[in-house]
Amino acid sequence: MPSAVVLLADGTEEMEFTITFDTLVRAGVKCCSAYVPPQTDVNPPAYATGSRGIRIMYDEVFDAARFSPNSYDALIIPGGAKGAETMSNNAGVQDLVREFLAQGKIVGMICAGSLTALTSKLPRQPLTSHPSVKTQLANDYDYSDESVVISDKLVTSRGPGTAFPFALTLVELLCGAEKRDEVRAPMVFPSGTPF
Amino acid sequence: MPSAVVLLADGTEEMEFTITFDTLVRAGVKCCSAYVPPQTDVNPPAYATGSRGIRIMYDEVFDAARFSPNSYDALIIPGGAKGAETMSNNAGVQDLVREFLAQGKIVGMICAGSLTALTSKLPRQPLTSHPSVKTQLANDYDYSDESVVISDKLVTSRGPGTAFPFALTLVELLCGAEKRDEVRAPMVFPSGTPF
């Protein structure tokens, strides 16, 4: 059974977190949510407060040693400006992004979460993000306006409106195209949906 | 500022809850999540456990007197088989559905949440639901396979894949078409998205 750690922080876009986590669980991926505190010396509460006020209880507090690519197949970084700022500036998260990719494991970033590519000093490659942070990324990467961009094991996406194709792409990479179709069907997307 | 109460129970489909709540908050709708306990005599925990294991802290415990249509402009009932069973069988929820509609306030039901139309004994009218509960509704209602069905003030929808058009329709009804466009744009839906 593939496994994924999905990061969560105060200010995380709760739709991006929830759509990705839930869709991966539907595919049979063992998911763990890991809370990245705003400062390392803070005693964290039992939940993260999302960008629109939804309070989500996390499974574990983030710890780079515990969530290594030896234990998980994918590392997911959702957006939400404030949450992505916390995650992208966390040295442990930056280390883990490089370690996952170095070991050929999947890293997913969506919305402002894509800023973590820059702070982790990933080399120039194709990626996308929320349009609001495009100028921070366009000089250092081959910036794309596609909804989902796959660059070897780095999967990036744009915002809540692309969270379903982002999550289904992760399902396909972790579990295969058949599983993607199996998970997608009972979600009942409108006819004509382009993913 | 319009206001909405969004129900939450153990087994609620967390994407349907989160997409609706978050999108309404983006539109400036004052939202309150209300937990419907599985039995009225249970001491509820501080959170609901969603259908795919995400634990969401609620704002209030459901109480039909507190969430009357005198205080709120919309009542939203998400799906998830187990959560919808709890909500649709709750006599207070059934009363409130009838009171909201009688006062010309909006009632939204998505996925298995649409079963609440039947348990609340709403008269025959157009509606939709998740395909898995279609047979329970098709005899008593003018069942539709459209993604979102508006029947006067009753708005119904199908599943996680239709939760965005469902939420944006609620925004339009509560806040107008301009606000719908304003909320939709920064979500960055893929080009060709049919809503």
Side-chain angles (χ1 to χ4, degrees):
Chain A
M1 184 193 281
S3 58
V5 51
V6 187
L7 300 187
L8 190 56
D10 294 319
T12 290
E13 217 305 317
E14 45 269 74
M15 297 193 279
E16 295 167 0
F17 170 82
T18 302
I19 290 169
T20 308
F21 190 104
D22 182 315
T23 301
L24 288 171
V25 169
R26 284 171 177 250
V29 175
K30 190 175 177 316
C31 287
C32 179
S33 60
Y35 177 77
V36 184
Q39 300 164 41
T40 49
D41 56 346
V42 158
N43 273 330
Y47 55 87
T49 303
S51 62
R52 271 71 190 182
I54 298 179
R55 292 169 299 158
I56 299 175
M57 298 187 73
Y58 52 81
D59 297 319
E60 304 278 353
V61 175
F62 178 75
D63 170 349
R66 170 150 172 23
F67 294 105
S68 91
N70 298 321
S71 308
Y72 288 89
D73 300 304
L75 168 66
I76 314 296
I77 303 177
K82 192 179 147 217
E85 192 186 335
T86 298
M87 294 170 190
S88 64
N89 288 324
N90 183 295
V93 171
Q94 295 165 8
D95 286 345
L96 220 49
V97 164
R98 288 186 294 262
E99 285 170 29
F100 267 72
L101 293 173
Q103 292 202 24
K105 299 291 182 90
I106 290 167
V107 174
M109 302 174 180
I110 182 169
C111 196
S114 295
L115 289 172
T116 318
L118 187 67
T119 58
S120 303
K121 298 191 168 53
L122 298 189
R124 175 176 288 276
Q125 60 193 297
L127 60 63
T128 191
S129 71
H130 195 272
S132 61
V133 298
K134 176 176 177 172
T135 54
Q136 296 176 64
L137 294 164
N139 285 339
D140 294 280
Y141 296 94
D142 300 327
Y143 195 88
S144 165
D145 291 329
E146 291 294 311
S147 293
V148 181
V149 174
I150 305 177
S151 168
D152 192 13
K153 299 295 181 182
L154 177 65
V155 181
T156 52
S157 190
R158 311 211 79 196
T162 65
F164 277 115
F166 173 67
L168 290 167
T169 299
L170 293 170
V171 166
E172 184 168 346
L173 293 172
L174 287 165
C175 312
E178 246 181 82
K179 181 59 78 175
R180 176 186 179 136
D181 293 343
E182 186 190 314
V183 166
R184 186 187 183 283
M187 290 185 176
V188 212
F189 288 98
S191 112
T193 293
F195 54 82
Chain B
M1 186 194 278
S3 58
V5 51
V6 187
L7 300 187
L8 189 57
D10 294 318
T12 290
E13 216 306 319
E14 45 269 74
M15 296 193 280
E16 294 167 0
F17 169 83
T18 301
I19 291 169
T20 308
F21 191 104
D22 182 314
T23 301
L24 289 171
V25 169
R26 283 171 176 251
V29 176
K30 192 176 175 315
C31 288
C32 180
S33 60
Y35 177 78
V36 184
Q39 301 164 41
T40 49
D41 57 346
V42 158
N43 274 330
Y47 56 86
T49 302
S51 61
R52 271 71 190 182
I54 297 178
R55 293 168 298 159
I56 298 175
M57 298 187 75
Y58 53 80
D59 297 319
E60 305 278 352
V61 174
F62 178 75
D63 170 349
R66 169 145 173 28
F67 294 104
S68 92
N70 299 321
S71 309
Y72 288 90
D73 299 303
L75 169 66
I76 315 296
I77 303 177
K82 191 178 149 219
E85 191 186 336
T86 298
M87 294 171 191
S88 64
N89 289 323
N90 184 295
V93 171
Q94 296 164 7
D95 287 344
L96 221 48
V97 164
R98 289 186 294 263
E99 285 170 29
F100 267 71
L101 293 173
Q103 293 203 23
K105 300 292 182 88
I106 291 166
V107 175
M109 302 175 180
I110 181 168
C111 195
S114 295
L115 289 172
T116 318
L118 187 67
T119 57
S120 303
K121 299 191 169 50
L122 298 189
R124 173 176 291 274
Q125 58 194 299
L127 60 63
T128 190
S129 71
H130 195 270
S132 60
V133 298
K134 176 176 178 172
T135 55
Q136 296 176 65
L137 293 164
N139 285 340
D140 294 280
Y141 296 95
D142 300 326
Y143 196 89
S144 164
D145 291 330
E146 292 293 311
S147 293
V148 181
V149 174
I150 305 176
S151 168
D152 193 13
K153 300 295 182 183
L154 178 65
V155 181
T156 52
S157 192
R158 312 208 81 196
T162 65
F164 278 115
F166 173 66
L168 290 168
T169 299
L170 294 169
V171 166
E172 184 168 347
L173 293 171
L174 288 165
C175 312
E178 246 181 81
K179 182 59 79 175
R180 176 187 178 135
D181 293 344
E182 187 190 313
V183 166
R184 185 186 184 283
M187 289 184 175
V188 212
F189 288 99
S191 112
T193 292
F195 54 81

